[in-house]
Amino acid sequence: MAAHRDIASRRTVALVGPGGSGKTSLAEALLWKAGAIGAPGSVEKGSTVSDGDVLEKKWLRSLNSSVLHFEHNGITTHLIDAPGAPDFLGQSLPALEAVETAAIVLNAATGIEPGAVRMMEWARQRERDRIVIVNRIDAQGVHLQQLVAQIQAAFGKECLPVNLPAQGGESVLDCFWTRKQEGGPSPDFSSVEDAHRALMEQVVEVDAEAVERYLNDGDVDPAELHPTLEQALREGHLVPIFFVSARTGAGVAELLDAIERLLPDPTESNPPAFLEGEGEGARPVQVVVDPDRHVLAHVFKITQDPYAGKLGVLRVHQGTILRDSQLYVGDGRRPFKVGHLFRLQGGKLVGVPKAVPGDICAIAKVEELHFDAVLHDAAEDAHMHLKPLPFPVPVHGLAIEPKRRGDEQRLHDILQKLVSEDPCLRIEHAEGSNETIVYGLGELHLRALLARLTDVHGCQVETRPPRVAYRETVRAPAEGHHRHKKQTGGAGQFGEVFLRIEPLPRGAGFEFVDEVRGGAIPNNFMPAVEKGVRQAMEQGVLTGYPVVDLKVIVYDGKHHTVDSKEIAFVTAGRKALVAAVQAAQPCVLEPIVDMEISAPAEDLGDITGDLASRRAQVSGTQSGVDGVLTVLAQAPLAELSTYQSRLNALTGGQGSFTLAFSHYEPVPPNLQAQLAAQYRPREE
């Protein structure tokens, strides 16, 4: 029973939301109020527990998710401080998988920013309990009552204050446990009675018996409403709003109390979205929050510790992990031994003997660990995985090479390590130009990658202007044929391939079909044909960019009993594919991105005019606080390489924007001809 009590004493919270909302300072304030640290650190001085990375101290901003913990009043709280910049969604989105509660932190001075809207929606889709924390309530000129109305307009009427600011943001007044205010300062807006009544009515609505008691008695003791409150949080019927100032400490003690008394333990939240099997055949699996069952844990973060080496940071969902436990990684057949088990306090590792459901911990020095891995100790769980996260597609590209000859392998190894830590980084080798291309979510994302290479790993590199991730596809069916015949004395090379190609729907990928009959191409050579086809698709045909959304049907061919070899069918498959694509109305696709541009309202005309010159389409605008507008648009990524400097010029440096991949669509004919002309010299 002690282990079950351990689970009831666990809380897990992710601080998410836009950059500049004060998440790291709030984490410091909570650690200090809980007695985990002697004094709150400062972001400006680089002394916070969260931002312990060399670059974070240098840049004075969070670049990684940081895992923290504290114990207070018998409750162990695991806290994740996630970066707010949209370029680092590879760090912040996985934090939602590790927690019961997503806390969207807003800056009272800037209101609801696009990053807050995105995180609220992602948390809703993943069925996390959600709360809103309004930070910096002591800032000058804030209109908190107006902000609450904006929160309810953006996120729903279920967003209700659990406390209210008082004395101009110097303190807060509880509205959940307190039914009626008696003495003391008055709230800066509304009243304790009205806020309490709104909360009680919202909570009891999910339970018919509670509604009846409320109607009969006129009120319900909040202490008796805990199961009903947790149901309201699970169903998204209530999204509590908390007011705090991390700088002065106002509302921090009240927030800490709410984490312990109101937020769910692992048994009270929606279960994680585990699936068993792959593709369309995958079926949901119910995880039981029980320390006595077999182990199920999810690795949501990979990081490198300078002393402990590779760390897999994981959330335990079922069972108990002990030091010296034997665990499997996914469908791996060889178990590994848990030699080191830690809790994390920012960059510090604290050894622990065990981890139960609800714990966030780290396992060190196990090379098989990777992002999104499921750890288990039972053979029947070999094909378990979590529902995939909706990561944005990295479309900002940079060609990169080492300054010093001979460092190619070292650069490759470091890049592989960095990519393993961030699911929104991608490496691609462009065959046509023999370039290594790194793709990220934005300029800041790639700048951080380069800084890590040089400042942390001491690898000096050269880069070339961002390369757009164009793709090729076809618009009509066609056939291709090639006979490869080579005689050099003795055994030669022979292989002949006939194939058809058909366009697939956008985003469908690649499909290879073997329709050869009568042994025209022996089965043992068909993988070589497919290899050749894939080589041609990777190298591109028209412009040197990969071919996508293609169905290839190999229907005939010829072989020679002596001269046929794999290399012959690789070559025949590759050249047959090239011939087919050239006859199938090939076209070049370009990435189209969703844009959100925040800028002063008076600059709207200049911004929309500039967007039109970049082949962008504006879909709408949203009003923000203090005369700030958000412009929503779609634009070709190729037109945006210099957009930040142009936006700065148009808005006097007051504009900002975010990009997210939307879809691919054909480029204009003149651009396609230009790209094809640029590729021809390399092809020759």
Side-chain angles (χ1 to χ4, degrees):
M1 292 299 292
H4 291 269
R5 286 196 298 273
D6 281 349
I7 296 172
S9 69
R10 297 297 193 264
R11 305 289 183 272
T12 55
V13 181
L15 301 178
V16 296
S21 57
K23 298 183 294 297
T24 297
S25 298
L26 179 58
E28 289 290 307
L30 286 167
L31 288 170
W32 174 67
K33 189 61 71 174
I37 56 177
S42 163
V43 172
E44 292 75 19
K45 295 179 181 178
S47 58
T48 62
V49 178
S50 292
D51 293 348
D53 181 86
V54 173
L55 282 185
E56 290 175 324
K57 291 177 183 290
K58 183 178 179 180
W59 290 12
L60 303 180
R61 67 186 306 161
S62 297
L63 305 174
N64 306 291
S65 61
S66 185
V67 181
L68 315 162
H69 70 272
F70 54 81
E71 296 184 7
H72 184 255
N73 289 338
I75 302 293
T76 298
T77 298
H78 297 281
L79 195 66
I80 302 179
D81 174 21
D87 290 46
F88 302 110
L89 285 171
Q91 293 286 326
S92 55
L93 274 182
L96 299 178
E97 300 296 80
V99 298
E100 269 70 56
T101 303
I104 289 81
V105 183
L106 306 180
N107 182 344
T110 55
I112 302 172
E113 299 176 76
V117 177
R118 280 193 298 269
M119 293 310 299
M120 179 66 85
E121 177 58 22
W122 278 320
R124 185 193 65 78
Q125 290 176 4
R126 302 305 278 195
E127 297 187 325
R128 302 297 88 192
D129 289 20
R130 291 164 290 150
I131 66 175
V132 174
I133 301 176
V134 179
N135 190 20
R136 300 184 174 168
I137 59 173
D138 58 321
Q140 288 188 346
V142 298
H143 303 286
L144 297 178
Q145 184 173 13
Q146 180 183 342
L147 180 55
V148 169
Q150 291 171 346
I151 291 170
Q152 292 176 337
F155 304 139
K157 294 293 185 183
E158 62 270 20
C159 299
L160 295 172
V162 173
N163 53 38
L164 291 170
Q167 300 173 294
E170 292 183 7
S171 63
V172 301
L173 303 175
D174 168 66
C175 303
F176 184 82
W177 305 101
T178 306
R179 307 181 190 197
K180 183 184 247 184
Q181 184 181 1
E182 297 179 0
S186 298
D188 294 340
F189 65 90
S190 187
S191 69
V192 171
E193 293 88 343
D194 288 347
H196 177 80
R197 187 182 312 111
L199 279 169
M200 293 301 106
E201 290 176 355
Q202 190 74 11
V203 170
V204 299
E205 277 184 359
V206 300
D207 182 2
E209 289 186 13
V211 170
E212 187 174 347
R213 284 169 53 207
Y214 183 80
L215 292 175
N216 291 337
D217 301 340
D219 199 2
V220 181
D221 184 353
E224 300 175 8
L225 278 180
H226 186 80
T228 312
L229 169 68
E230 298 307 331
Q231 181 181 348
L233 292 173
R234 272 196 310 274
E235 296 176 358
H237 194 71
L238 174 65
V239 178
I241 301 174
F242 298 90
F243 293 92
V244 302
S245 169
R247 186 182 68 85
T248 66
V252 174
E254 289 81 359
L255 177 60
L256 180 60
D257 180 68
I259 289 172
E260 296 167 355
R261 299 175 70 187
L262 301 183
L263 297 190
D265 67 44
T267 67
E268 295 171 324
S269 67
N270 290 313
F274 271 99
L275 302 171
E276 186 172 24
E278 302 296 333
E280 296 181 359
R283 60 180 185 85
V285 176
Q286 184 75 34
V287 171
V288 181
V289 184
D290 186 340
D292 299 326
R293 294 221 175 190
H294 46 87
V295 171
L296 278 177
H298 176 246
V299 178
F300 68 94
K301 179 179 172 68
I302 293 291
T303 187
Q304 299 287 336
D305 183 83
Y307 304 106
K310 185 177 184 179
L311 286 178
V313 187
L314 55 98
R315 160 67 192 262
V316 182
H317 291 285
Q318 179 178 286
T320 300
I321 297 178
L322 301 169
R323 269 202 305 248
D324 297 331
S325 294
Q326 296 249 356
L327 296 178
Y328 294 87
V329 180
D331 59 1
R333 302 196 174 188
R334 293 181 57 189
F336 69 90
K337 185 177 180 181
V338 180
H340 306 274
L341 190 63
F342 301 103
R343 279 186 186 166
L344 293 122
Q345 193 69 301
K348 295 182 179 178
L349 303 177
V350 182
V352 291
K354 68 175 182 177
V356 299
D359 274 332
I360 295 174
C361 60
I363 292 176
K365 298 180 179 178
V366 179
E367 286 305 311
E368 296 88 342
L369 292 182
H370 58 86
F371 173 76
D372 214 26
V374 171
L375 307 186
H376 61 92
D377 60 359
E380 63 263 30
D381 294 329
H383 300 288
M384 297 272 277
H385 58 95
L386 273 174
K387 181 181 176 182
L389 278 164
F391 286 116
V393 177
V395 290
H396 283 260
L398 200 63
I400 186 170
E401 65 181 13
K403 277 188 177 179
R404 193 172 62 185
R405 292 191 65 181
D407 274 358
E408 288 81 5
Q409 186 60 47
R410 180 166 179 260
L411 173 61
H412 177 267
D413 293 344
I414 296 171
L415 286 175
Q416 291 293 344
K417 187 179 293 186
L418 294 175
V419 167
S420 74
E421 298 176 8
D422 189 337
C424 289
L425 281 173
R426 181 167 59 85
I427 302 175
E428 182 179 289
H429 183 72
E431 294 285 350
S433 59
N434 195 29
E435 291 179 319
T436 296
I437 313 294
V438 181
Y439 290 101
L441 297 183
E443 179 189 354
L444 179 62
H445 200 192
L446 293 178
R447 194 152 54 87
L449 173 91
L450 295 177
R452 288 206 186 286
L453 283 170
T454 56
D455 296 0
V456 178
H457 296 281
C459 184
Q460 302 302 315
V461 296
E462 291 180 345
T463 61
R464 283 180 289 284
R467 176 183 166 98
V468 177
Y470 292 110
R471 296 291 181 260
E472 299 179 14
T473 193
V474 298
R475 288 178 283 202
E479 296 200 357
H481 157 251
H482 185 78
R483 170 185 285 193
H484 177 72
K485 186 176 182 181
K486 188 175 182 182
Q487 201 72 38
T488 56
Q493 295 180 11
F494 181 85
E496 188 169 8
V497 171
F498 293 83
L499 54 78
R500 291 191 302 272
I501 62 172
E502 299 172 3
L504 290 175
R506 196 79 73 238
F510 170 59
E511 186 178 344
F512 184 83
V513 180
D514 175 8
E515 289 187 357
V516 175
R517 298 292 178 265
I521 300 177
N523 288 338
N524 59 309
F525 288 129
M526 193 55 68
V529 176
E530 182 176 355
K531 181 179 179 180
V533 166
R534 288 183 179 273
Q535 283 181 358
M537 291 180 64
E538 289 169 6
Q539 294 169 5
V541 175
L542 192 65
T543 59
Y545 292 93
V547 181
V548 297
D549 304 333
L550 193 67
K551 182 176 182 179
V552 177
I553 304 117
V554 179
Y555 65 90
D556 200 1
K558 289 182 181 178
H559 75 286
H560 189 278
T561 53
V562 176
D563 290 348
S564 284
K565 298 178 177 63
E566 285 190 6
I567 184 63
F569 280 101
V570 169
T571 303
R574 183 175 70 248
K575 293 188 175 181
L577 192 280
V578 170
V581 170
Q582 289 173 337
Q585 300 179 27
C587 70
V588 178
L589 304 173
E590 64 179 340
I592 305 298
V593 294
D594 292 320
M595 301 184 71
E596 291 185 357
I597 305 140
S598 296
E602 60 264 26
D603 298 320
L604 177 62
D606 291 339
I607 289 171
T608 54
D610 181 71
L611 287 173
S613 72
R614 297 171 185 270
R615 299 191 284 128
Q617 293 184 333
V618 176
S619 57
T621 59
Q622 296 176 351
S623 298
V625 295
D626 297 331
V628 174
L629 276 180
T630 298
V631 180
L632 307 177
Q634 284 193 335
L637 180 65
E639 301 286 346
L640 302 175
S641 60
T642 60
Y643 188 68
Q644 184 63 68
S645 58
R646 181 60 179 156
L647 185 62
N648 289 342
L650 293 174
T651 64
Q654 297 185 61
S656 62
F657 74 100
T658 63
L659 302 180
F661 174 78
S662 173
H663 63 283
Y664 274 93
E665 64 180 42
V667 302
N670 62 324
L671 179 55
Q672 177 162 317
Q674 180 183 336
L675 291 169
Q678 291 171 352
Y679 178 59
R680 204 164 287 128
R682 293 204 301 266
E683 188 178 40
E684 292 167 1

